[in-house]
Structure formats: C-alpha cells, structure tokens
Amino acid sequence: MGKVVVIDHPLIQHKLTYIRDENTGSKEFRELVEEVSMLMAYEVTRDFPLQETEINTPVGPAKTKVIAGRKVGLVPILRAGLGMVNGMLKLIPAAKVGHVGLYRDPETLKPVEYYCKLPTDLPERDLIVIDPMLATGGSAVAAIGFLKERGAKSIKLVCLIAAPEGISAVQSAHPDVDIFAGAVDSHLNDHGYIVPGLGDAGDRLFGTK
Ligand SMILES: O=P(O)(O)OC[C@H]1O[C@H](OP(=O)(O)OP(=O)(O)O)[C@H](O)[C@@H]1O
Ligand SMILES: O=c1cc[nH]c(=O)[nH]1
Ligand SMILES: [Mg+2]
C-alpha cells in the first residue's frame, strides 16, 4: 500500500489557512498555491538518491554530492493542477511537464477526459501528478491510469487538500502510488466538495465560476 504523507510543516499549514479563506482573491491565491507547491516539492523529493562527485571550491578539492541523474516529470491535472507547476519547477527546474485534461462532471462526479500530452520517455521518469484537490479521487485515479497505460512505473501524487474518500480510492486503484497532502480534511459534501476544503480550486485560481 502506498504511504500517505501529510506535510505538516508550519509554513505550509500557515499558508493553507490563507488559501482556504474565502476572502483571499485570485492573485493572492495563485501566489500562495505556488509557494506551498514549492515547499511540498522539497518533501516529495526527499527520497531522491545522491551520488558522490568531486569539485574544487575556492579553498580546495571537495568530495560532495549531487542528485543521481533523476529524470522527473510533472503531470498537472488541468485546470487546477496548473497552479502548482511553477512552484514545483522552481525546485525541480529540469523536470518535463505533461498535461492531463480532466473535468469532473457535476452530476455524476465522474472525470471526463479532454486532453493528454505527455513526455515520450514516460517509463524512465519519476512522475509527480499534481492537483490541489483530491476529493472522490476519480480524477487522480483516471490520470494515474493514463500514465500507467503509457508505461509509467514511478508515480507520486501531490495535492494540497485530500478527503479520506479520495485517499481510499487512490490506494485501492493504485496501491503503488504514494500520496503527499498538505492536509486531510473531514469529508465530502453532497456535491462532492471537500469539507471544509477551499471551494473550487480551478475557479479560485482562474477567477471563473
Ligand atoms: O477527486 P475528484 O472528485 O475527481 O475531484 C477533484 C478534481 O476536481 C477538480 O477539478 P475540476 O473538475 O473542478 O476541474 P478544473 O480543474 O478545470 O476546475 C480538482 O482540481 C480535481 O481535478
Ligand atoms: O472541494 C473540491 C472538490 C473537487 N474540486 C475542487 O476544486 N474542490
Ligand atoms: Mg474546478
């Protein structure tokens, strides 16, 4: 079973408060999502292996370490996942970015696919699927399924806020996938929104309704 890591760093918890606040407008919301995503990238990459290297500092030779040739792919689930891309790229600038377009049908709550463009060397990459919200889990389960159909072998899922229902859905469909979240909230309401959550992440990022 994949692990669930709640990243409870004070900076993330502090910023999540303002992300959740209904009085936070789109500009500040976008900035905060980017900042939290950057902080989450730090934790998500914690298991990247290092290799020794030798360089010269101005004082003399030094045996030191670099990340061992990892190829990373970020895969935002459109639209809301786009809000997390730049923050993650700040810490993992060489990552390639694939896009999976999904929206959740408001009646059935099932994900509907409308776009998919992924790096061709998917099987060689450590993939990080990003989406601020893990609600029923339908979108994440489908996006991870697309990646696996195309040969992906190493996948992590990163979200700002997860519901217990979404975590269970991902764990049962994709037990090899670790989930990183800033918070795990109480439950879903009758419309499939996370309670207390933050509302509709895509609408808040892009100022739509
Ligand atoms: O876990 P689920 O129940 O599938 O819900 C989560 C999905 O819902 C939201 O996207 P939405 O459908 O609102 O599309 P958007 O990003 O274009 O707003 C969110 O960004 C996730 O992708
Ligand atoms: O709470 C939720 C659930 C799904 N999608 C969102 O943007 N927010
Ligand atoms: Mg939305």
Side-chain angles (χ1 to χ4, degrees), residues 64-118:
T64 172
K65 289 174 182 166
V66 289
I67 290 173
R70 288 305 253 217
K71 290 171 94 178
V72 178
L74 298 180
V75 183
I77 302 178
L78 308 182
R79 287 174 304 168
L82 289 174
M84 300 178 70
V85 172
N86 286 343
M88 291 244 166
L89 280 177
K90 281 199 173 136
L91 290 196
I92 322 170
K96 290 201 172 165
V97 183
H99 295 83
V100 173
L102 293 173
Y103 70 87
R104 201 173 67 154
D105 183 289
E107 300 299 326
T108 65
L109 301 184
K110 300 284 178 223
V112 182
E113 183 194 352
Y114 60 89
Y115 189 73
C116 188
K117 180 81 180 177
L118 297 163

Side-chain angles (χ1 to χ4, degrees), residues 104 133 135 192-194 199-202:
R104 201 173 67 154
M133 310 306 279
Y193 278 87
I194 299 176
D200 188 301

Side-chain angles (χ1 to χ4, degrees), residues 121-137:
D121 56 356
L122 217 55
E124 296 158 36
R125 293 193 174 266
D126 290 317
L127 300 174
I128 305 175
V129 175
I130 51 182
D131 191 329
M133 310 306 279
L134 178 63
T136 66

